[in-house]
Amino acid sequence: MKHKYNQYVEESINSIISEGRYRTFANITRSCGNYPHATLYHDDGSEQQITVWCSNDYLGMGQNKDILNSIKTTLDSVGAGSGGTRNISGTTRQHVLLESEIAALHQKQAALLFTSGYVANDATLSTLSKIIPDLVMLSDENNHASMIEGIRHGGAPKMIFKHNDMADLEDKLRTLGSEKNTIIVFESVYSMDGYTAKIKEICDLAEKYNALTYIDEVHAVGMYGQKGAGLAEQAEQMGRIDIIEGTLAKAYGLMGGYISGDKIMIDAIRSYAPGFIFTTSLPPSIAAGARTSINYLKNSSLERDKMHENVSIIKDKLTQKQLPLIHNDSHIIPIIVGDPVLTKKVTDQLLNDFSIYVQPINYPTVSKGTERLRITASPLHTHSDIDHLVESLDAIWKDMKIARAA
């Protein structure tokens, strides 16, 4: 009778397929020293040389020689894995040094490492709900799935405010009153639209209504601010934010997530969060590489300056072609298609005819009807790469008769 379970599973997959949002993975190998170019492996065994235009390795730090040497040296010195959870033999010197580096980056007393940014958000937000009584979470409606899940897992009451709408946020804070325990949860860069948070205004409201603040800087760390600490640094608001969450897996080119804040706050999460307590810690070599990456981008703005320059060029060229770009102040380049099947057709043609890899973005990552391409530029994309991308998109828009921007 177990076949009935397979039937349920098959029906769930067929439902996704029928909606045109079944996800396929591109089997690629990045070429160190040749990024953003890579090799794509097809199911028939053939290979294709492609240019990657959707990586979160925003600055190409995944192939930085200083980082690679740091990883190799540590790997040869201490071996592969950490050997356990942080509580049971998995706290190595490299973890301690990295947490100190992160705390210093964000000008906080302490930091705590997690295996990913997703886990950092989920574990921290759910734990805050359990250790702060009668806490109400005020969450931006466009917050990442990991933040939504963390709030849900914590079980505390939540109020969702309209995206970047300070009047709506204040209305909700006013309703709750300054005596209520509250925390405002938001992102600095919203990665699918590319919009940026009103950080100072949120901090002002938090101060006025005695609320805690929690910012997700995963798409901003390494990318913004004098030392790459994120948009809160650029806005000169880091000291006003209670918990700063970030990742090592995007601009820093590795893997892992973290939070930083007051020592007592970090100690409480360390002591109570199951997502931290019961997980094997990051390999020491990764921790060492991440520390090198943070240090490197603290002292070098060349990579982010060149990346931002490339982003500006691409946005200008796409606008000239009247492609339906979401205009924003960040490095994210979203182009709306608005239909899951058509979005897949666009990305398939980009790959098959032009050797350009851009992953289609469909529901549930974005709302239905807003399916899109999400393009990311690195400092290593050349002007020739950029021209090829723009001309290829223009050709596809003409061929498929997709609506242009007004």
Side-chain angles (χ1 to χ4, degrees):
M1 293 294 291
K2 284 191 176 181
H3 67 277
K4 70 177 182 179
Y5 299 112
N6 286 339
Q7 180 183 339
Y8 300 144
V9 173
E10 185 176 354
E11 287 172 356
S12 70
I13 292 295
N14 287 339
S15 174
I16 295 173
I17 293 172
S18 67
E19 294 177 26
R21 58 186 184 91
Y22 180 74
R23 300 179 184 216
T24 57
F25 298 152
N27 178 6
I28 69 171
T29 294
R30 303 201 303 173
S31 176
C32 189
N34 195 35
Y35 182 75
H37 305 291
T39 302
L40 173 69
Y41 298 91
H42 295 284
D43 291 341
D44 62 5
S46 62
E47 299 178 6
Q48 179 184 357
Q49 298 306 303
I50 62 170
T51 303
V52 179
W53 277 102
C54 57
S55 175
N56 283 338
D57 186 1
Y58 293 132
L59 303 178
M61 297 300 285
Q63 61 176 9
N64 178 278
K65 289 182 180 179
D66 290 351
I67 295 170
L68 297 182
N69 288 334
S70 177
I71 292 171
K72 290 172 185 175
T73 299
T74 307
L75 189 64
D76 289 341
S77 175
V78 305
S82 68
T85 64
R86 288 292 298 274
N87 185 52
I88 305 175
S89 83
T91 295
T92 73
R93 180 66 173 157
Q94 295 300 334
H95 295 90
V96 174
L97 290 173
L98 176 55
E99 287 174 340
S100 295
E101 189 69 51
I102 291 167
L105 174 71
H106 293 295
Q107 298 173 16
K108 297 298 183 186
Q109 293 176 351
L112 192 67
L113 285 170
F114 292 85
T115 50
S116 72
Y118 189 106
V119 174
N121 275 335
D122 189 2
T124 304
L125 291 171
S126 61
T127 301
L128 286 172
S129 296
K130 291 177 169 61
I131 61 179
I132 300 176
D134 302 317
L135 181 66
V136 176
M137 300 271 189
L138 293 110
S139 176
D140 188 289
E141 67 178 341
N142 283 8
N143 276 344
H144 189 262
S146 59
M147 304 167 85
I148 294 168
E149 286 298 290
I151 293 169
R152 185 176 68 83
H153 290 158
K158 67 177 183 295
M159 300 181 78
I160 298 172
F161 62 93
K162 295 175 184 175
H163 178 54
N164 264 346
D165 189 326
M166 296 301 99
D168 189 44
L169 175 58
E170 183 163 19
D171 283 346
K172 288 174 168 57
L173 286 165
R174 188 185 298 114
T175 299
L176 293 168
S178 57
E179 297 303 312
K180 187 70 177 178
N181 293 332
T182 54
I183 181 167
I184 304 170
V185 182
F186 64 106
E187 298 182 50
S188 61
V189 177
Y190 291 85
S191 64
M192 289 302 142
D193 296 324
Y195 297 137
T196 56
K198 298 175 181 178
I199 299 175
K200 182 181 183 301
E201 291 89 336
I202 289 174
C203 289
D204 289 343
L205 289 175
E207 192 173 287
K208 181 176 179 180
Y209 292 96
N210 194 32
L212 291 171
T213 46
Y214 182 104
I215 189 172
D216 177 315
E217 288 258 41
V218 297
H219 291 276
V221 290
M223 305 280 284
Y224 300 89
Q226 184 178 357
K227 294 185 176 180
L231 277 179
E233 180 193 22
Q234 183 170 294
E236 299 181 345
Q237 301 296 309
M238 278 200 301
R240 303 180 72 193
I241 296 175
D242 295 291
I243 300 175
I244 297 176
E245 184 265 350
T247 187
L248 305 167
K250 293 181 171 61
Y252 291 124
L254 289 133
M255 66 172 293
Y258 64 81
I259 57 170
S260 60
D262 288 346
K263 187 177 186 302
I264 190 68
M265 180 70 77
I266 300 304
D267 196 28
I269 302 301
R270 180 188 70 85
S271 301
Y272 281 93
F276 173 81
I277 295 170
F278 298 105
T279 302
T280 299
S281 62
L282 291 170
S285 58
I286 298 298
R291 181 166 165 249
T292 301
S293 187
I294 291 171
N295 253 312
Y296 182 97
L297 290 174
K298 272 172 126 178
N299 296 293
S300 173
S301 63
L302 293 176
E303 290 77 12
R304 51 181 168 266
D305 289 347
K306 178 61 177 173
M307 181 275 302
H308 287 300
E309 178 187 325
N310 279 347
V311 168
S312 180
I313 292 169
I314 294 167
K315 287 182 176 180
D316 286 345
K317 288 180 178 289
L318 292 173
T319 301
Q320 289 169 18
K321 298 289 187 182
Q322 292 184 296
L323 290 168
L325 174 72
I326 294 179
H327 294 279
N328 56 53
D329 296 325
S330 75
H331 60 284
I332 305 296
I333 308 171
I335 303 175
I336 296 294
V337 179
D339 175 85
V341 175
L342 187 56
T343 304
K344 183 67 164 58
K345 283 180 66 178
V346 170
T347 56
D348 284 349
Q349 189 166 339
L350 275 174
L351 191 59
N352 296 331
D353 295 353
F354 301 100
S355 295
I356 290 171
Y357 172 40
V358 178
Q359 190 71 14
I361 306 295
N362 295 325
Y363 177 84
T365 307
V366 295
S367 301
K368 291 180 179 179
T370 70
E371 292 82 4
R372 68 196 63 182
L373 312 183
R374 177 186 178 273
I375 293 167
T376 55
S378 78
L380 301 170
H381 285 96
T382 65
H383 287 285
S384 177
D385 291 331
I386 292 171
D387 289 341
H388 180 56
L389 170 70
V390 174
E391 294 303 321
S392 301
L393 287 167
D394 185 48
I396 290 172
W397 249 251
K398 287 177 183 173
D399 180 52
M400 296 188 185
K401 296 180 174 57
I402 304 172
R404 305 252 177 177

